Amino acid sequence: MKTAAAAGYDVQRVRTDFPALHQQVHGHPLVYLDNAATAQKPRAVLDAMARFYERDCANIHRGVHALSQRATESYEAARRALAALLHAADPREIVFVRGATEAVNLVAQSYARPRLRPGDEVLITWMEHHSNIVPWQMLCEQTGATLRVAPIDDAGALIVPEFQRLLSTRTRIAAFAHVSNALGTINPVRALVDQAHAAGAKVLVDGAQAAPHLRPDVAALGCDFYCVSGHKMYGPTGSGVLWARAELLEAMPPYQGGGDMIRSVRFEKTTYNDLPFKFEAGTPNIAGGIGLGAAAEYLLRLGHEAITAHEQSLLARATAALQQVPGLRLIGTAPHKAAVISFTLDGVHPHDAGTILDQEGIAVRTGHHCAQPVMERFGVPATVRASFGLYNTPEEVDALVAGLHKVLEVFA
Ligand code: PMP
C-alpha cells in the first residue's frame, strides 16, 4: 500500500473542506474524534443540498416541469455515484434508504421473512451492532428460525473456524459487519462470503463503518447485500443505501407500499415498479440522496487508498501512544483494524473521561456503542471510543493523549 504522503494526501487542505472543524469548543480548537457515530460534512455535500433546496426543490420522478426534472436528474446522478463508489454492476441495484438500520430491516423482512422456516438458521457474529442483531431476532420470532452467533477472541477478531463450524445447510443468511463499530476489527469478508456461499447461504455485509475507511467494493467482496449509512461516510443524516444483486431484488416483494413504488394500482391488483423504485415507496429524502451522492463523489475524488493509508498512520500513532497511558486498557486489538480505538481507564468511568475530554474540546464517544454483547464479552459496561476520519491529524492524536493525562490528574 502506498503511504499517505506518496499518494499526495494533504490533510490540512482536506480540513479546509469541512466548515464544522473550524470552531472552538470550551475555548479549545475542536478535536473531533467521534466519527464512528457520525462524520462531519464537506462543503461539497452542504452545497449540493443547499442547491437542491434553493433552486431545484420539487418532488421527483413524476413532474413534467423544469424543477422536478432537475431534481430527478440530481437524485438519479447521486444513485450513479453510489453505484460507482460501491462498484455495483448497475445503478438499479442501489436502493436509497434511511441508513444501515433500514437496509438490514429491509433484507430481513423482504428477502428473509417469506423464505425462512422453523429449523432454518441465521448466522451473525458477536461483534455486531444492535442494528445487525435485533432485526434478525425479530425475523427469527416471526419465522421460527434460529439465530446463531459466531464468537470473537480476546483481541476482538472473529474466530473464523467457529464461524465456519456454525455454517451448515440450515444457514439461510450470514450477516456480519465489514468493520466493527465498537472494536474497529476489519473482518475477512471475502473469505467469510466464500464459506457462507459454499454452505448455500446468502450474505449480508453491514458496511456502516467500512465505507468511510475502506473502498466498499461489492464486486470484490462477493456478498449479496451491502448496507451503508450515509452520515458515517460524510453524507447527510437520514440517508443510506442498500446494495443488492438485481436478481435478488427482482425476486423480493416490496418492503413498504405507497406512491412511486407502483406501476399501476387497481383495487383488484396492483403491479409494482421497476428496480430500484419498487423499494422506494413515498417521497424519499431527496436532499439527503443528493447530498449522499456528493459524499460518494468526494470520497472517490480523494481515493480510498490515500484515505486508508492516512488513517492507518493515525491508528498506529494512537495505538502506540495510548498503550503508554497508565491504567489504559485497549478493547479491540485485532491484527486488522480500521481507525477506531476503544479503551477503558482504571478507576475512571468512561462518561467522566468523556466529559473531561469535552472540556478540552475533544469529542469522543462513551457508552456501549449499541454493541452490548461486545461489552459483555470484554466484561466492561462501557468504553471510551476515539474514532478517526479522513480529516484528523497526528496533532489531534497527541491532543487526545494529553487530554487523557488531564483525566488521570483529576482522578489521581
Ligand atoms: N452498523 C454499524 C456497525 C454501526 O456502527 C451503525 C451505527 N452506529 C449501524 C449499523 C446503524 O447505522 P444507522 O444508525 O446509521 O442506521
Side-chain angles (χ1 to χ4, degrees):
M1 188 187 290
K2 276 192 238 167
T3 65
Y9 195 80
D10 179 351
V11 68
Q12 290 305 337
R13 206 218 54 70
V14 168
R15 289 177 70 80
T16 64
D17 293 335
F18 291 83
L21 295 179
H22 308 284
Q23 59 176 300
Q24 303 265 313
V25 171
H26 304 307
H28 299 276
L30 170 65
V31 175
Y32 188 77
L33 302 179
D34 194 18
N35 294 286
T38 202
Q40 301 301 335
K41 318 306 174 199
R43 179 65 71 196
V45 168
L46 304 174
D47 287 351
M49 295 176 77
R51 203 160 46 241
F52 166 73
Y53 279 126
E54 288 174 2
R55 224 191 47 172
D56 301 338
C57 184
N59 213 329
I60 51 173
H61 292 149
R62 289 172 307 279
V64 293
H65 62 80
L67 271 62
S68 177
Q69 290 184 358
R70 289 205 301 256
T72 302
E73 176 42 37
S74 300
Y75 195 69
E76 294 307 321
R79 197 187 305 278
R80 293 192 291 277
L82 268 302
L85 181 75
L86 295 172
H87 204 180
D90 191 320
R92 293 186 314 138
E93 299 182 330
I94 301 292
V95 178
F96 280 122
V97 290
R98 195 161 55 80
T101 302
E102 189 174 35
V104 178
N105 279 278
L106 195 163
V107 175
Q109 292 301 314
S110 174
Y111 176 77
R113 191 172 177 182
R115 288 174 173 75
L116 267 60
R117 300 280 172 269
D120 289 340
E121 293 180 0
V122 177
L123 177 59
I124 62 170
T125 84
W126 215 281
M127 73 177 80
E128 300 311 312
H129 185 278
H130 296 164
S131 62
N132 201 26
I133 301 174
V134 183
W136 303 115
Q137 289 178 317
M138 291 164 61
L139 171 77
C140 288
E141 276 177 23
Q142 290 158 342
T143 61
T146 304
L147 190 68
R148 299 265 178 237
V149 186
I152 58 178
D153 65 18
D154 290 342
L158 180 67
I159 304 175
V160 175
E162 284 296 303
F163 177 88
Q164 184 148 33
R165 196 182 61 74
L166 285 164
L167 283 167
S168 74
T169 51
R170 290 184 298 278
T171 316
R172 303 297 306 277
I173 312 249
F176 50 82
H178 192 167
V179 171
S180 152
N181 69 311
L183 300 164
T185 308
I186 302 174
N187 274 319
V189 173
R190 182 74 219 204
L192 302 179
V193 166
D194 289 345
Q195 290 174 9
H197 280 169
K202 293 283 184 266
V203 181
L204 175 143
V205 177
D206 172 1
Q209 294 293 342
H213 304 294
L214 314 166
R215 179 84 196 272
D217 183 334
V218 295
L221 295 172
C223 54
D224 302 294
F225 303 101
Y226 196 89
C227 308
V228 173
S229 277
H231 67 102
K232 295 184 201 283
M233 52 162 274
Y234 309 98
T237 55
S239 71
V241 164
L242 169 67
W243 169 84
R245 297 180 189 290
E247 69 267 23
L248 291 173
L249 291 174
E250 296 282 11
M252 287 159 59
Y255 176 50
Q256 295 182 328
D260 223 28
M261 52 73 73
I262 53 90
R263 183 170 298 131
S264 75
V265 176
R266 302 271 176 284
F267 288 121
E268 303 73 44
K269 180 159 179 63
T270 286
T271 55
Y272 304 130
N273 205 340
D274 298 329
L275 296 181
F277 312 113
K278 181 172 91 173
F279 292 101
E280 295 182 359
T283 301
N285 180 2
I286 304 170
I290 290 170
L292 181 53
E297 281 167 3
Y298 184 81
L299 288 172
L300 285 166
R301 264 199 309 281
L302 286 188
H304 270 93
E305 198 181 353
I307 295 167
T308 304
H310 173 69
E311 291 181 354
Q312 286 293 319
S313 76
L314 297 177
L315 176 67
R317 187 184 185 100
T319 305
L322 291 179
Q323 277 168 334
Q324 303 306 314
V325 174
L328 188 144
R329 174 187 173 206
L330 292 176
I331 307 286
T333 50
H336 299 292
K337 282 187 61 179
V340 174
I341 306 192
S342 263
F343 57 88
T344 58
L345 281 171
D346 273 354
V348 184
H349 193 282
H351 290 322
D352 292 333
T355 305
I356 295 168
L357 289 173
D358 178 56
Q359 290 304 311
E360 301 297 313
I362 302 167
V364 293
R365 181 130 307 229
T366 62
H368 56 58
H369 317 296
C370 296
Q372 286 181 352
V374 172
M375 300 297 115
E376 214 175 293
R377 170 67 179 76
F378 286 90
V380 294
T383 72
V384 180
R385 182 184 69 188
S387 51
F388 299 89
L390 53 81
Y391 40 59
N392 288 123
T393 66
E395 293 74 26
E396 290 180 312
V397 173
D398 301 345
L400 171 66
V401 175
L404 289 172
H405 282 287
K406 287 237 163 79
V407 173
L408 292 182
E409 278 165 30
V410 172
F411 282 87

